[in-house]
Amino acid sequence: MKKSKLASLLFGAALMVSATVSFAQVDQPLKGVGEAKSSTINVYGQVHTGIASQSVGTADALTIMSNLGSRIGFTGSENLGGNLSAFYTIETGFAADAPRGSAATTSLGDRASVVGLRKGMFEIKAGRDKHVLVNLHDKYNAFLLPDYHLGMNIHDTQGIRAQNTVFLTAQPVKGLLVAYQHTLSEVAGKPNTTGTRVEYDADRVSVGVATFDDGATSTSTSYGATLRANKQLQFNAVYSKDKNLGLDTIGSSVAVSYWIQPQLMLVASVGKKTGAVELDSQNLGASYAFSKRTWLHARWLKEDYKTLNTRDTTATVVSVQHMF
């Protein structure tokens, strides 16, 4: 028994010596590199689930439980000195309504997975994230329930996220943002995709424009504007010219939102798409804040396709959203 204990102690000591030597070898090339000034890591996300009653085309109405963008993310930064910092974001979606179902299949970082450097007004990052066109649509969406917002069908999103992409952002003056993205196709003979976004925010007015071009059959240009009449009343508008796989459409939408009280907001919007796809859309919504992190949302929407009646949609959604 004593021999067994002695052998175990000797084996443990050998492992510790081996690990110390290994770490020393790895650390040796970094001896001349300065220590980081500071670093941070944050965990964030939301669980957002709703009950939806919807009918599509001539089919009977169906009641479903719906996952509305539930996610968990990790973000962090490191101060490298000289006003230079490194940062990263890894964000993953999950199906809060049926996490063990087949639809729950996901990958780590499927929503965002980027690493980059930031210095003063400039930022560069690489990986996968929302592209510039969708960032503009999200900003000028009046609804606090984005997964059912009108712009998803009125204005082309061109894929929502871009991967194998370099994102450049600059804020040269207060209120002005300029962004550019370059996506590598990684396929011989297939052109790369580019996008741009310019926005300006003032006290009562925000305006922006974004472009998308896959170098082949799909392009988009979207314009957005917000007018904040006062602390309670706000108007949003988006206009887009889109080509998706060679099909041309024009989309326009306007929305008005009104805070009845600090915790309760009402929204109404209408939209129209013309061209290869003809569509009229109406949306009504209400959002109530129990706290800054917990919200109750209600939404009604109707989409009337002029040439594709089988896609006509009416839906009512009630959901609870908790952010952390």
Side-chain angles (χ1 to χ4, degrees):
M1 185 70 175
K2 290 182 179 180
K3 289 183 179 180
S4 176
K5 288 184 177 180
L6 179 61
S8 298
L9 288 172
L10 290 174
F11 180 69
L15 284 178
M16 291 178 65
V17 171
S18 175
T20 301
V21 172
S22 297
F23 283 124
Q25 290 173 342
V26 171
D27 187 57
Q28 187 67 29
L30 301 178
K31 283 189 177 295
V33 178
E35 291 292 332
K37 306 298 181 182
S38 64
S39 62
T40 62
I41 180 171
N42 298 292
V43 180
Y44 69 93
Q46 68 173 23
V47 181
H48 194 178
T49 303
I51 302 294
S53 175
Q54 63 182 34
S55 61
V56 180
T58 58
D60 294 336
L62 181 65
T63 299
I64 62 173
M65 181 172 288
S66 183
N67 174 56
L68 300 172
S70 297
R71 71 201 69 161
I72 185 170
F74 304 88
T75 184
S77 64
E78 183 177 50
N79 182 359
L80 302 175
N83 201 27
L84 177 67
S85 62
F87 65 93
Y88 68 90
T89 299
I90 303 172
E91 184 177 296
T92 305
F94 61 91
D97 58 328
R100 293 180 63 86
S102 59
T105 303
T106 187
S107 300
L108 182 65
D110 61 352
R111 292 180 63 90
S113 180
V114 293
V115 63
L117 294 171
R118 184 182 294 118
K119 184 177 179 65
M121 69 179 73
F122 299 103
E123 175 184 293
I124 180 171
K125 63 183 181 181
R128 173 181 172 84
D129 207 347
K130 281 188 176 181
H131 60 64
V132 289
L133 191 67
V134 178
N135 285 330
L136 182 131
H137 291 171
D138 285 350
K139 178 170 181 175
Y140 297 102
N141 164 41
F143 288 87
L144 299 180
L145 183 57
D147 301 86
Y148 271 87
H149 74 72
L150 172 145
M152 294 183 72
N153 290 322
I154 295 295
H155 311 290
D156 206 309
T157 60
Q158 300 287 9
I160 300 180
R161 290 177 172 81
Q163 59 189 24
N164 306 318
T165 299
V166 175
F167 303 86
L168 301 172
T169 305
Q171 295 179 287
V173 298
K174 182 180 179 180
L176 178 64
L177 180 143
V178 181
Y180 172 78
Q181 71 178 46
H182 191 92
T183 300
L184 302 176
S185 72
E186 299 191 343
V187 176
K190 182 178 179 180
N192 296 329
T193 298
T194 59
T196 62
R197 176 182 168 212
V198 178
E199 293 204 34
Y200 182 73
D201 293 308
D203 290 339
R204 291 198 171 189
V205 176
S206 297
V207 292
V209 58
T211 67
F212 172 93
D213 188 350
D214 73 349
T217 60
S218 298
T219 62
S220 284
T221 301
S222 288
Y223 305 87
T226 295
L227 172 63
R228 291 171 283 275
N230 51 48
K231 292 183 178 181
Q232 294 176 288
L233 183 62
Q234 177 175 296
F235 300 92
N236 285 27
V238 178
Y239 174 84
S240 65
K241 296 184 69 174
D242 305 300
K243 177 182 289 187
N244 195 324
L245 300 177
L247 300 178
D248 293 303
T249 57
I250 293 176
S252 57
S253 60
V254 293
V256 56
S257 56
Y258 186 77
W259 290 89
I260 295 179
Q261 51 182 287
Q263 298 86 10
L264 179 61
M265 184 186 75
L266 301 180
V267 183
S269 68
V270 294
K272 188 176 186 66
K273 174 180 275 190
T274 59
V277 177
E278 302 281 341
L279 167 65
D280 290 334
S281 181
Q282 302 88 41
N283 284 244
L284 296 174
S287 295
Y288 181 82
F290 293 102
S291 69
K292 290 183 178 180
R293 295 179 179 271
T294 303
W295 289 76
L296 175 66
H297 302 285
R299 186 73 178 274
W300 174 86
L301 69 96
K302 180 177 176 61
E303 295 181 334
D304 181 14
Y305 286 85
K306 305 303 180 183
T307 54
L308 298 168
N309 294 336
T310 55
R311 292 179 58 184
D312 288 349
T313 302
T314 301
T316 302
V317 186
V318 177
S319 67
V320 175
Q321 176 188 29
H322 178 74
M323 296 167 280
F324 57 89

